[in-house]
Amino acid sequence: MSSESQEPPLSSEAQSKKAAKKEAAKQEKLRRKQELAAATAAASNLSVEDDPLAVNYGFVPLIEIQSKTPVDVNEWTRVEALDDSVANKPVKIRGRAQTIRPVGKKMAFLVIRENGFTVQCLVQAQPEAVSPQMVKFAAALSRESIVDVEGVISIPAAPIKGATQQVEIQVSKLYCVSKAVPTLPINLEDAARSEVEIEKAIQAGEQLVRVNQDTRLNFRVLDLRTPANQGIFRIQSQVGNAFRQFLLAESFVEIHTPKLIAGSSEGGAAVFRLDYKGQPACLAQSPQLHKQMSICADFGRVFEIGPVFRAEDSFTHRHLCEFTGLDVEMEIKKHYFEVMDVVDRLFVTLFDSLNTNCKKDLEAVANQYPFEPLKYLRNTLRLTYEEGIQMLKEVGVEIEPFGDLNTEAERKLGQLVLEKYGTEFYILHRYPLAVRPFYTMPCYDNSNYSNSFDVFIRGEEIISGAQRVHVPEFLEQRAQACGIEVKTISTYIDSFRYGAPPHGGFGVGLERVVMLFCGLNNIRKTSLYPRDPLRIAP
């Protein structure tokens, strides 16, 4: 007999109730199925050819969607704009048939979705307006098909629970622009279901479909249509926009650097190496080298938003290999704190922007993946690496004095910082030099430490930054000490021989920022089409 704890057996009364509930659910599903079959059968003898109102519905011929006739796009109203201000007015919308519910042979309800907003539409047979054949057409549409709907807006007496817009369209015309396959590989209702809902169903003795992460990624185009995913990537868009707008306002110049380089930008084993017409090359782990060269080219302050490639990253718990980097480089006058000052202002502005401009998107994400709003200070907390180590030591976590923090230690420190300072966003600076890239400037008072910093959200690193070495001879020494062939980065080092100002910068992981701000548990949730050693499609 197993020594593991066993669930206590259900009493006969509880088993009976559970069985009765299951049977009731089964009968209800059967009833709905029979109702749908009856409605379909009743309408099956209706012929479109015999319908004088056939012009009001049907599939749009290919020739009509080959840009045959220019039209005024203002003929269409966005679903988002449908409210009681357009009551009793005719409208035309385009969207996806999210749900289709026939009610007998003379009535069908459609819920049409456009960019996350939904509206209920009623297709009801009426003499000289809507034929039973049109109702049949509506009922037979495949879910997720693209349709054009024309009709008049009405205000229902009771609230509509299944749609975001609290109006209803009395349909007069219905055209299918693009037909979806009858059976979708994943059901959007299943894909949008939260773990909380699934667990509640299990406790109630019911079984709900759980769509796993690999299945989601295999059918990513469908998975991305869920409200939570729509929210995630709209939030991500806002992060990129806020990042760009803040830096442009601070006199930064946006640049675009090559992603194929001759030598490693950071060193180490996490490099994608390849043959480039007989020459060794690799994909850029960051735009680091070219950011610094651009500072040498007198741009003063630069930033880039673009892809970076890493062969491994313990943060992901599996080896995700393509990210979106938000990278910054700037001249400094005296101290690397000048770079940290930009980080402080940038991220407080960014978080404020998300909380103000993405309320609906954050709510959509939280409905499926519940999370607490991020706690952050108006003036970002700064701790030295030694102070962080001391906080960990006080609770029994031992760290090598000149080693790096592992993921577990970073998370623990995040908990301690939250308890002591009331923030989930903070900066840890003056890291040991041994754990930083070759181009990092050592501290003036102790060469075991460096003028560098990491930034954390909810105990996870999102930023790595530092003052850079801008003295070419010293840079060569540092590269050699880190095992990098100097000749592979000679053009980079040479750029400092022509006069280079003191400078520093940082790199941010876009997917990390969104994942941690939204309290998500997997970085693949914030990567639009993830790429890793096991996935290069879709």
Side-chain angles (χ1 to χ4, degrees):
M1 185 172 177
S2 172
S3 60
E4 294 182 0
S5 61
Q6 300 286 330
E7 287 287 332
L10 293 171
S11 67
S12 58
E13 182 181 351
Q15 288 179 334
S16 178
K17 284 183 178 178
K18 185 176 178 180
K21 187 177 283 188
K22 260 187 166 179
E23 182 60 27
K26 183 179 177 182
Q27 291 300 323
E28 174 61 17
K29 186 182 280 188
L30 181 61
R31 185 190 67 77
R32 289 180 183 176
K33 192 173 180 180
Q34 290 172 339
E35 185 181 82
L36 177 58
T40 304
S44 63
N45 61 350
L46 298 174
S47 171
V48 173
E49 289 76 11
D50 298 332
D51 184 8
L53 300 175
V55 69
N56 292 336
Y57 62 94
F59 294 97
V60 178
L62 177 60
I63 190 172
E64 293 295 332
I65 51 179
Q66 289 182 291
S67 300
K68 177 185 175 185
T69 310
V71 295
D72 180 1
V73 296
N74 293 320
E75 289 180 9
W76 281 267
T77 301
R78 295 184 61 80
V79 170
E80 179 183 2
L82 299 177
D83 56 29
D84 54 10
S85 68
V86 289
N88 303 317
K89 294 182 180 178
V91 293
K92 181 178 182 179
I93 65 167
R94 175 172 291 178
R96 293 188 181 276
Q98 176 171 292
T99 60
I100 301 159
R101 183 165 60 90
V103 183
K105 63 180 182 180
K106 292 190 176 182
M107 184 187 296
F109 288 96
L110 306 180
V111 173
I112 304 300
R113 185 183 74 249
E114 181 189 35
N115 300 137
F117 295 91
T118 53
V119 62
Q120 181 170 282
C121 303
L122 173 62
V123 186
Q124 186 170 18
Q126 298 174 14
E128 300 181 6
V130 176
S131 65
Q133 290 94 323
M134 180 171 169
V135 177
K136 176 188 175 183
F137 173 78
L141 285 169
S142 304
R143 285 180 305 153
E144 294 301 297
S145 293
I146 306 291
V147 296
D148 279 348
V149 175
E150 295 183 46
V152 175
I153 294 291
S154 66
I155 308 298
I160 300 173
K161 295 181 180 180
T164 62
Q165 309 309 108
Q166 294 304 300
V167 297
E168 185 175 81
I169 300 179
Q170 306 298 317
V171 180
S172 57
K173 294 182 180 181
L174 176 65
Y175 304 104
C176 182
V177 178
S178 176
K179 184 181 179 181
V181 295
T183 304
L184 299 172
I186 59 174
N187 188 322
L188 262 65
E189 185 180 355
D190 295 334
R193 189 173 289 123
S194 71
E195 283 297 315
V196 173
E197 189 179 350
I198 291 172
E199 289 303 317
K200 282 183 178 178
I202 291 172
Q203 291 172 12
E206 300 171 13
Q207 195 70 33
L208 293 178
V209 174
R210 177 187 276 116
V211 183
N212 66 41
Q213 190 64 36
D214 281 339
T215 301
R216 290 176 181 276
L217 296 180
N218 289 340
F219 303 102
R220 190 59 161 160
V221 170
L222 284 172
D223 183 47
L224 289 172
R225 295 178 190 177
T226 64
N229 278 330
Q230 287 286 306
I232 286 169
F233 291 101
R234 292 176 194 282
I235 291 166
Q236 189 178 99
S237 174
Q238 182 64 22
V239 170
N241 181 56
F243 184 88
R244 175 178 281 112
Q245 294 306 318
F246 176 90
L247 292 172
L248 289 173
E250 295 267 332
S251 300
F252 282 79
V253 176
E254 184 169 6
I255 61 173
H256 303 281
T257 62
K259 302 309 165 197
L260 187 65
I261 58 178
S264 167
S265 55
E266 295 187 359
V271 182
F272 279 99
R273 302 190 185 279
L274 63 146
D275 179 85
Y276 181 70
K277 297 186 179 297
Q279 301 179 64
C282 60
L283 296 179
Q285 295 164 284
S286 81
Q288 184 59 46
L289 308 188
H290 292 90
K291 283 194 306 178
Q292 290 185 255
M293 291 168 71
S294 298
I295 295 299
C296 294
D298 266 359
F299 282 103
R301 293 182 154 201
V302 299
F303 75 95
E304 180 174 21
I305 302 175
V308 293
F309 304 89
R310 298 177 186 273
E312 61 182 2
D313 191 328
S314 60
F315 173 80
T316 65
H317 310 294
R318 291 176 64 187
H319 302 294
L320 190 71
C321 61
E322 182 178 342
F323 297 94
T324 304
L326 310 175
D327 288 274
V328 169
E329 205 72 23
M330 57 182 279
E331 291 184 14
I332 60 176
K333 302 301 183 187
K334 291 289 289 183
H335 204 288
Y336 72 98
F337 277 16
E338 295 164 38
V339 182
M340 289 162 56
D341 291 341
V342 171
V343 172
D344 184 350
R345 299 196 311 275
L346 167 60
F347 275 84
V348 170
T349 300
L350 171 61
F351 297 151
D352 288 348
S353 173
L354 294 179
N355 287 327
T356 301
N357 299 317
C358 297
K359 289 179 180 178
K360 287 184 178 179
D361 295 316
L362 290 168
E363 184 180 339
V365 176
N367 285 340
Q368 184 164 1
Y369 306 110
F371 69 95
E372 291 294 322
L374 182 71
K375 297 179 177 66
Y376 59 99
L377 305 175
R378 304 317 299 175
N379 295 307
T380 302
L381 173 69
R382 301 179 185 186
L383 298 172
T384 65
Y385 187 84
E386 291 174 286
E387 288 172 330
I389 296 299
Q390 184 58 37
M391 289 178 69
L392 288 168
K393 283 183 177 179
E394 288 172 1
V395 295
V397 180
E398 291 295 327
I399 303 294
E400 285 286 330
F402 303 117
D404 204 355
L405 297 179
N406 59 30
T407 302
E408 185 180 344
E410 288 178 344
R411 287 176 176 165
K412 183 62 180 177
L413 183 57
Q415 292 173 7
L416 297 174
V417 167
L418 176 59
E419 291 167 6
K420 185 172 182 179
Y421 298 101
T423 181
E424 295 175 289
F425 177 74
Y426 71 97
I427 300 173
L428 193 65
H429 67 99
R430 198 178 157 95
Y431 266 74
L433 182 64
V435 301
R436 307 305 280 197
F438 76 95
Y439 46 75
T440 306
M441 183 70 80
C443 285
Y444 76 97
D445 59 340
N446 188 338
S447 61
N448 287 319
Y449 292 96
S450 63
N451 297 342
S452 64
F453 60 91
D454 281 355
V455 183
F456 297 85
I457 294 179
R458 302 188 198 267
E460 305 278 8
E461 177 203 329
I462 61 156
I463 293 177
S464 186
Q467 180 181 358
R468 320 302 189 186
V469 175
H470 64 282
V471 180
E473 296 77 16
F474 188 28
L475 194 58
E476 284 182 336
Q477 293 175 27
R478 291 286 302 134
Q480 290 169 346
C482 291
I484 295 173
E485 284 191 64
V486 173
K487 66 179 181 180
T488 66
I489 54 171
S490 58
T491 54
Y492 160 69
I493 294 178
D494 286 346
S495 67
F496 296 97
R497 302 188 194 282
Y498 315 131
H503 61 279
F506 58 91
V508 188
L510 173 62
E511 291 87 356
R512 291 188 183 193
V513 172
V514 178
M515 182 187 81
L516 293 167
F517 187 84
C518 294
L520 299 169
N521 64 355
N522 190 319
I523 202 167
R524 286 162 181 75
K525 286 185 169 71
T526 56
S527 180
L528 193 66
Y529 298 104
R531 293 291 178 263
D532 61 40
L534 301 177
R535 183 175 294 279
I536 199 169

